[in-house]
């Protein structure tokens, strides 16, 4: 079947190696356009292993990877594939290679929501609370789980959030409750360190710390790529955006869809 490019798609495929933002809705052929842009760049001399595609879910990454293998079967056979991963997967790869610089070992264990909630629940029984209603422990754990994610996804820590708290008056139950939730998040952070695990927010946060504290490493990573394609970019959180900015800012030819 012949795929006929629209005028907008053709412009994206033919765009030079410059920073590019593509705004497109669902069902508009985004994946096909990304694949054809990469195909055009490779045909113009870009080495396939210097191209990086990052998307949001493992499913989307798998679909993009499969499409690229269909377009470049000879490259797949030669082991010269375009690298495709997720945002968290990219951070994980950086830490596997350089994580020792920020206290993360190569054999790190990444825990998911079930294990995270378990650690939070264990912390709930180690303290007394005035504002948290312990008759609903699952609700408290869910709130602490959400707060822990928000702290990590914004490159913050418990101390910096505490510092943002206003002076609490007798009617300010909201911040009083939040501070008690923060103490639970603090216990959760200590528990992760104690058992030697990280969560998904930690992956991006530690990777960001790596490339900002070690600029030579950031330059080394950046030099590996000629083009980076970011899919579903609107769903990135602040930590993911800052990681990408630290690596690929200053005019690097990113195509963000």
């Amino acid at each position: 079947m012949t795929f006929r490019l629209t005028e907008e798609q053709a412009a994206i495929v033919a765009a030079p190696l410059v920073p590019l933002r593509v705004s497109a809705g669902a069902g508009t052929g985004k994946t096909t356009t990304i694949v054809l842009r990469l195909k055009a760049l490779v045909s113009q001399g870009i080495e396939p292993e210097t191209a990086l595609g990052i998307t949001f879910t493992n499913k989307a990454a798998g679909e993009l990877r499969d499409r690229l293998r269909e377009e470049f079967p000879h490259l797949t056979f030669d082991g010269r594939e375009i690298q495709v991963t997720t945002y968290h997967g990219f951070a994980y790869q950086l830490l596997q290679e350089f994580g020792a610089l920020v206290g993360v070992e190569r054999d790190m264990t990444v825990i998911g929501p079930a294990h995270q909630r378990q650690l939070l629940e264990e912390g709930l029984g180690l303290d007394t609370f005035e504002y948290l209603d312990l008759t609903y422990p699952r609700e408290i754990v869910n709130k602490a789980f959400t707060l822990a994610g928000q702290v990590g996804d914004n490159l913050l820590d418990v101390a910096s959030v505490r510092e943002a708290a206003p002076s609490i008056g007798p009617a300010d139950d909201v911040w009083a409750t939040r501070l008690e939730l923060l103490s639970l998040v603090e216990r959760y952070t200590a528990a992760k360190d104690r058992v030697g695990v990280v969560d998904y927010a930690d992956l991006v946060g530690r990777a960001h710390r790596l490339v900002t504290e070690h600029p030579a490493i950031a330059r080394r990573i950046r030099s590996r790529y000629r083009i980076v394609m970011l899919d579903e970019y609107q769903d990135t959180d602040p930590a993911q955006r800052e990681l990408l900015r630290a690596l690929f800012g200053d005019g690097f030819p990113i195509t963000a869809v």
Side-chain angles (χ1 to χ4, degrees):
M1 183 174 65
T2 302
F3 182 82
R4 186 180 297 276
L5 292 172
T6 66
E7 183 178 341
E8 292 87 350
Q9 289 168 333
I12 295 163
V13 171
L17 279 176
V18 295
L20 185 68
R21 189 192 74 172
V22 178
S23 297
T28 54
K30 290 183 292 184
T31 301
T32 298
T33 305
I34 287 173
V35 169
L36 292 178
R37 173 159 171 73
L38 287 169
K39 184 177 182 179
L41 290 169
V42 170
S43 70
Q44 294 165 20
I46 295 292
E47 299 291 336
E49 53 267 38
T50 66
L52 171 66
I54 307 180
T55 189
F56 229 86
T57 65
N58 289 323
K59 179 182 178 182
E63 290 174 354
L64 179 57
R65 196 178 294 115
D66 289 343
R67 293 285 299 277
L68 289 168
R69 285 171 177 166
E70 291 174 6
E71 292 290 340
F72 303 106
H74 59 294
L75 296 179
T76 300
F77 181 79
D78 292 339
R80 300 185 64 206
E81 291 188 286
I82 294 169
Q83 181 184 345
V84 180
T85 185
T86 63
Y87 290 93
H88 287 113
F90 180 60
Y92 180 83
Q93 290 171 16
L94 299 185
L95 293 175
Q96 279 221 306
E97 188 172 0
F98 303 109
L101 295 172
V102 288
V104 180
E105 300 302 324
R106 286 180 60 90
D107 59 349
M108 60 184 157
T109 297
V110 185
I111 60 174
H115 196 170
Q116 289 176 261
R117 285 186 168 89
Q118 180 184 359
L119 292 178
L120 285 163
E121 190 171 354
E122 290 172 359
L124 192 59
L126 298 176
D127 211 339
T128 56
F129 302 98
E130 181 180 355
Y131 291 91
L132 296 178
D133 188 351
L134 297 182
T135 58
Y136 301 100
R138 181 173 295 179
E139 182 178 334
I140 295 173
V141 168
N142 286 338
K143 288 181 178 180
F145 174 82
T146 299
L147 182 58
Q150 291 171 336
V151 170
D153 291 344
N154 285 278
L155 296 176
L156 300 172
D157 54 28
V158 170
S160 60
V161 180
R162 277 206 183 104
E163 290 174 4
S167 298
I168 298 175
D172 195 354
D173 290 355
V174 173
W175 260 104
T177 302
R178 185 173 294 146
L179 288 172
E180 290 192 347
L181 284 172
L182 277 172
S183 69
L184 194 55
V185 172
E186 189 170 41
R187 286 189 178 278
Y188 163 69
T189 302
K192 286 187 296 179
D193 291 341
R194 185 175 65 253
V195 298
V197 298
V198 294
D199 59 29
Y200 286 101
D202 293 329
L203 288 178
V204 180
R206 296 289 182 94
H208 177 264
R209 182 179 153 198
L210 168 71
V211 299
T212 52
E213 292 183 359
H214 301 276
I217 297 296
R219 290 192 296 271
R220 181 174 171 182
I221 295 165
R222 177 185 173 117
S223 68
R224 294 173 178 175
Y225 303 106
R226 296 276 310 278
I227 176 70
V228 175
M229 310 284 290
L230 306 176
D231 196 15
E232 304 293 346
Y233 183 70
Q234 75 281 356
D235 290 332
T236 55
D237 58 45
Q240 292 164 341
R241 288 196 297 275
E242 290 305 315
L243 170 61
L244 294 167
R245 191 196 308 274
L247 282 171
F248 304 118
D250 300 325
F252 188 91
I254 275 185
T255 298
V257 183

